[in-house]
Amino acid sequence: MRLASRLCAAIALLLGWAATPATAQEWRGWNIHPPDYPVSRGMDRFAELVAQRTSNRIRLRTYHSAQLGQQDEAIQQMRLGSIDFAEFNLSPFNNLVPSTQVVTLPFLFRNVAHLHAVMDGPVGDAIARDVEAIGIVPLAWYDAGARSIYTRRPVRTIEDMRGLKIRVQTSDLWIDLMRAMGANPTPLPFGEVFTSLQSGVIDGAENNWPSYESTRHFEVARYYTTTEHSNVPEVLAVSRTRWQRLNEADRAILRTAARESAAYQRELWAERERLSRERVVAAGAQVIEITDREPWARLMEPVYARYAADPRLAELVRRIRETR
């Protein structure tokens, strides 16, 4: 009886330890967008699903609107483990992970369905492994929409781009892309674009419909030219430091929740694109439709020659183009 009592006491102690709130994990998440943005709502759905499926053992709090710093800073914090999860555009990874340059290449994806087929398949898995090698573990791919040029004066042809100062992200590829169009690329933090347009420090920028609308950039750059030169996916990811502390069951929960959140975010994105375009047009922005992008695409040969010359990257380009 004495042995049985001791065993019961030990079991009770273990059960009590397993149930204690001390085992709960509080994660900090970074996001550059405001709370009502499709990306933000997708991340909130991710947090809800993880909390439900771990019985609140893993609680994720996303700090929206770049509360934890700008994107380049957040990437470094993720690699160090001081931010636990985040959603990033892939362009700032170009200098860190060469394979991310491939999906940043201009005029690469035929349409959104092609983009999803590529990123949800073997090519996306290969890129994810490369990103994990620098300390960030991709879980799912979010939509960021086709990016186009918007400016303070009309751009109707390639010739109209000559000499314009266009804001770009901090990426050699994006700098070269804009140079190929004849513009003067100007790297700036995203948060400085509005005032830089307003003051004339830059003549334009490039982004998708929701970003153009939500930032109110249409108030200071009223001409939106649908070059649709890039459709770069974004990544929902976890710090490798945090990931390595998880067991396989919790990893599976996070991966499944992330992919479900991506499906939700993509639906929200498509609807938001439609609404954003309607809103900026109603506010007086002028849309200049580019119906033939082939002349613009031909300008990108030097970009492909530099960023897809490596045999592995060239092979990824080939696999992307052949994906159906």
Side-chain angles (χ1 to χ4, degrees), residues 114-129:
H114 180 218
L115 169 68
H116 292 168
V118 168
M119 298 311 297
D120 293 341
V123 171
D125 292 342
I127 294 171
R129 288 191 293 272

Side-chain angles (χ1 to χ4, degrees), residues 4 34 39 61 63 104 142 176 192 207 232 234 248 254 282 315 317:
V39 164
R61 179 181 177 184
Y63 291 82
T104 315
Y142 278 18
D176 287 345
E192 296 178 14
N207 219 312
V232 181
E234 300 197 347
E248 287 302 323
L254 262 74
E315 175 64 11
V317 170

Side-chain angles (χ1 to χ4, degrees), residues 156-312:
R156 295 186 171 87
T157 66
I158 294 168
E159 288 68 29
D160 293 333
M161 287 288 293
R162 305 297 179 195
L164 292 184
K165 293 175 291 184
I166 304 295
R167 179 265 176 181
V168 295
Q169 301 174 70
T170 307
S171 161
D172 291 343
L173 187 148
W174 278 92
I175 289 170
D176 287 345
L177 184 160
M178 205 53 60
R179 283 177 178 157
M181 289 186 178
N184 292 326
T186 307
L188 283 175
F190 187 65
E192 296 178 14
V193 175
F194 186 96
T195 55
S196 296
L197 284 166
Q198 190 175 44
S199 64
V201 169
I202 55 175
D203 301 304
E206 54 81 47
N207 219 312
N208 52 56
W209 285 109
S211 292
Y212 180 56
E213 177 255 327
S214 65
T215 57
R216 308 195 71 82
H217 289 177
F218 65 89
E219 294 179 354
V220 287
R222 303 189 71 81
Y223 300 96
Y224 192 95
T225 304
T226 60
T227 52
E228 296 184 358
H229 50 272
S230 180
N231 199 337
V232 181
E234 300 197 347
V235 62
L236 178 63
V238 172
S239 166
R240 188 175 61 189
T241 301
R242 178 64 80 172
W243 186 253
Q244 290 174 337
R245 298 173 188 163
L246 299 175
N247 59 41
E248 287 302 323
D250 283 344
R251 289 181 181 181
I253 287 172
L254 262 74
R255 286 196 186 279
T256 301
R259 289 168 181 166
E260 290 178 21
S261 78
Y264 176 65
Q265 187 269 345
R266 290 170 180 180
E267 292 176 1
L268 294 175
W269 185 267
E271 176 62 13
R272 180 62 184 270
E273 279 191 323
R274 184 186 67 80
L275 290 174
S276 292
R277 177 167 178 156
E278 290 179 356
R279 288 170 182 167
V280 300
V281 169
Q286 296 184 36
V287 180
I288 300 169
E289 297 283 1
I290 301 297
T291 56
D292 182 10
R293 294 181 179 83
E294 183 57 31
W296 297 74
R298 283 198 297 268
L299 296 174
M300 299 301 119
E301 290 180 7
V303 178
Y304 276 78
R306 177 176 180 185
Y307 295 98
D310 178 272
R312 180 169 182 259

Side-chain angles (χ1 to χ4, degrees), residues 83-146:
I83 289 178
D84 300 305
F85 68 104
E87 199 276 352
F88 295 120
N89 184 279
L90 284 181
S91 294
F93 286 86
N94 290 173
N95 295 337
L96 298 169
V97 183
S99 61
T100 63
Q101 295 175 0
V102 171
V103 294
T104 315
L105 288 168
F107 305 101
L108 179 63
F109 296 108
R110 295 186 295 274
N111 49 43
V112 174
H114 180 218
L115 169 68
H116 292 168
V118 168
M119 298 311 297
D120 293 341
V123 171
D125 292 342
I127 294 171
R129 288 191 293 272
D130 292 344
V131 175
E132 183 172 352
I134 67 162
I136 295 173
V137 182
L139 300 182
W141 307 102
Y142 278 18
D143 275 356

